[in-house]
Amino acid sequence: MCKEGYDLYKCDECQHIFVWPIPSIEALKRIYSFANSYQVQDRKIFDENTDFSEKMRESLKQMENFCPRRGRLLDVGCSSGKFLWLARRDGWSVCGVELSTDTSQIAIDNGLCVSVGELASADYPLSSFDAIHLGDFIEHVRDPADVLSRVSEFLKPDGVIILVTPNHDAIFPLLTLWLHRLFNMPWSHATPPFHLNQFSEKSLVKLLETLNLKAIDKQYRGCDLHYELGETHVLRSVRHALSERRLTLAAGRFFFAVFTAVGYTVVYGIDRCCIWKKKDFDMLLVVKKA
């Protein structure tokens, strides 16, 4: 399958999906920038009225359930620093790593300690963190095995890793993939060049095991229908046709957009009814050194 000019490949053994060609680091820096409208809405000072997602709160809750102490916390791919802000408020000593110069500046403006660049260039002592958070991050990186290996080196022997990433083997992505194959609807789940890797539970656990890491707890959350429809870009194609004043094309694309929205809504309903049959869309794994 090809999407946004990138080819998607799938491993027959573990079902891992990955993008090729892999964008360069410089290309990723351009992607995760204000010039590309990335996280522009977060350019503000955080306070108690800031919209912190339920996913962040759940990750922090799991971290505190499994970590023996509120000690040093590293957030890898911390973006604008919202998770760090929440954790600091709860008593953690926090720092982060972020590739994007623009979004890391938001965190710095909020008084957070952030190392700008790749994890490989971060100068932290080995075995120095009680907890490490990778929230919706591992799917964005060029080499997940290298990142997790470095994370393991920074983690204390009894520390925990909180790892959150989408599960492409859940009902919603599987059924919408069939919509793509049957009706040529766009598949929302693969989002290159943002998501370079798409994990299943099997492929993620297999990767952890090769690095002497073990998932000691797993939780799952449903997908966001509004977000998934946005990732199909069907409305963007309508607006593009209208901007070129190609009204017949715009009308055709509009009806296809409605058709896609109906199809995705039906799949979402099936997904919510059948959640007990299969693991859900978002995986939250609590990981320790084996």
Side-chain angles (χ1 to χ4, degrees), residues 56-198:
M56 289 182 186
R57 297 179 189 276
E58 184 61 34
S59 293
L60 185 58
K61 178 182 177 182
Q62 284 294 89
M63 183 178 293
E64 293 173 350
N65 284 342
F66 287 90
C67 191
R69 67 190 73 85
R70 280 185 175 87
R72 296 194 70 208
L73 161 64
L74 175 65
D75 189 7
V76 184
C78 66
S79 189
S80 61
K82 282 186 173 180
F83 182 82
L84 288 175
W85 195 94
L86 274 177
R88 184 179 64 180
R89 187 190 64 178
D90 263 22
W92 291 84
S93 174
V94 302
C95 56
V97 179
E98 172 56 45
L99 179 67
S100 169
T101 303
D102 290 337
T103 57
S104 62
Q105 189 59 50
I106 301 173
I108 293 169
D109 290 344
N110 276 277
L112 298 163
C113 178
V114 175
S115 173
V116 183
E118 296 182 85
L119 182 62
S121 63
D123 187 21
Y124 298 120
L126 300 182
S127 302
S128 58
F129 290 99
D130 299 281
I132 301 179
H133 178 243
L134 292 87
D136 289 318
F137 170 74
I138 198 69
E139 66 272 16
H140 293 260
V141 303
R142 291 161 49 87
D143 190 342
D146 179 68
V147 167
L148 285 171
S149 177
R150 294 179 187 276
V151 163
S152 179
E153 291 177 347
F154 291 140
L155 189 68
K156 290 182 179 180
D158 62 345
V160 298
I161 300 167
I162 301 296
L163 200 164
V164 182
T165 192
N167 171 25
H168 79 73
D169 198 34
I171 290 176
F172 188 88
L174 288 176
L175 291 184
T176 50
L177 179 58
W178 276 106
L179 290 180
H180 168 75
R181 291 171 174 168
L182 292 174
F183 304 108
N184 202 32
M185 289 183 187
W187 191 36
S188 65
H189 190 55
T191 57
F194 294 96
H195 290 186
L196 304 179
N197 297 275
Q198 306 286 343

Side-chain angles (χ1 to χ4, degrees), residues 188-208:
S188 65
H189 190 55
T191 57
F194 294 96
H195 290 186
L196 304 179
N197 297 275
Q198 306 286 343
F199 290 91
S200 64
E201 181 186 328
K202 181 179 180 180
S203 69
L204 185 55
V205 169
K206 186 178 182 68
L207 175 59
L208 292 171

